[in-house]
Amino acid sequence: MAACMRALARWHVWLGWLVGVPIVMWTATGLFMVAKPIEEVRGNHLRIAQNEEHETLPPGNPAPIAFQLENAAPIHSFETRMQRGRAVTFITYAEGTIERFDAITGTRIEPVSAAEARSIVAQEIIGGTSAERVTFFESDEVPVDFRRPMPVWRVTLEDGTHIYVGRETGDIEAVRTRWWRWFDIMWGLHIMDLSERQDTSHPVLILFAALASIGSLMGSILMFRRRRSRMAGRPRSGGT
């Protein structure tokens, strides 16, 4: 039994050297990611609250049916909701593109321009009037801090915050602060996927997680062994 425990101790040391770096990395990145509330990381605190959820759509709205009849492209889905005080119908086509229509008149709403993207950010983001530049990205060329296949305008504020406005949707699709971008790097390190930062189940991560679990189990067993050794070496108190 003693020989077995000594062998276990040796394996535990070597395993500790192997998984020590990932364990420290997981702990450090986890600490960074919980340092701020996730709502603040996502930039929700920068969004100016809108009252559109309390606005009611006009009664008897037949526009979506007319859209389906007028457009030849297959329609995947449509939605009618209030957008900046206007009833708007969003049609998503089977190939993934989106068009907006005035829900009352059925008039097609043009895609968002650079000037409109800047104006939307100024209205709906705290500090949005401090935009430095506006850049357009096609759906297959979006930056790594957006990672959604849709055409967007990126409005960059003075403090480095990136606000993404959908060219087709007219919505603020994402808020990316400097902290979010560091958070994203830490997340990539945490799941050991720095390229895409999305794969939470791949062989390298599973292997190191399994080795770390085995090492923790070995350490727990050895802890009881050392405790018994100390107890055995402790002098007994005798009576007179």
Side-chain angles (χ1 to χ4, degrees), residues 131-170:
E132 287 189 333
R133 60 185 178 276
V134 181
T135 311
F136 176 70
F137 295 93
E138 291 287 357
S139 58
D140 57 348
E141 299 176 347
V142 293
V144 68
D145 64 346
F146 186 64
R147 293 199 295 271
R148 291 169 57 188
M150 63 184 302
V152 290
W153 292 100
R154 184 178 70 187
V155 181
T156 304
L157 306 185
E158 287 181 352
D159 62 358
T161 299
H162 294 164
I163 313 297
Y164 288 96
V165 180
R167 186 187 66 174
E168 298 173 345
T169 65

Side-chain angles (χ1 to χ4, degrees), residues 8-174:
L8 187 64
R10 286 195 298 271
W11 278 104
H12 182 255
V13 171
W14 285 108
L15 195 57
W17 282 107
L18 179 62
V19 301
V21 172
I23 289 176
V24 171
M25 182 180 66
W26 290 333
T27 305
T29 55
L31 176 62
F32 184 93
M33 290 189 291
V34 301
K36 288 189 177 183
I38 191 62
E39 292 80 10
E40 187 173 345
V41 173
R42 292 171 177 166
N44 292 344
H45 65 296
L46 298 178
R47 293 178 181 262
I48 298 174
Q50 304 293 312
N51 296 320
E52 291 172 353
E53 63 270 16
H54 302 297
E55 299 182 38
T56 57
L57 292 171
N61 176 24
I65 303 300
F67 296 150
Q68 291 188 46
L69 297 176
E70 294 173 3
N71 289 276
I75 294 175
H76 177 266
S77 63
F78 64 84
E79 174 192 14
T80 300
R81 57 181 170 87
M82 299 299 295
Q83 185 181 57
R84 288 180 281 280
R86 182 183 188 181
V88 177
T89 294
F90 298 77
I91 295 185
T92 302
Y93 297 102
E95 73 274 12
T97 59
I98 299 174
E99 282 188 314
R100 293 182 299 160
F101 295 84
D102 187 297
I104 305 301
T105 64
T107 305
R108 182 177 180 273
I109 302 173
E110 293 298 319
V112 173
S113 65
E116 289 173 329
R118 187 185 289 265
S119 175
I120 290 170
V121 171
Q123 294 175 40
E124 300 187 10
I125 294 294
I126 296 174
T129 55
S130 64
E132 287 189 333
R133 60 185 178 276
V134 181
T135 311
F136 176 70
F137 295 93
E138 291 287 357
S139 58
D140 57 348
E141 299 176 347
V142 293
V144 68
D145 64 346
F146 186 64
R147 293 199 295 271
R148 291 169 57 188
M150 63 184 302
V152 290
W153 292 100
R154 184 178 70 187
V155 181
T156 304
L157 306 185
E158 287 181 352
D159 62 358
T161 299
H162 294 164
I163 313 297
Y164 288 96
V165 180
R167 186 187 66 174
E168 298 173 345
T169 65
D171 291 328
I172 292 181
E173 301 292 344

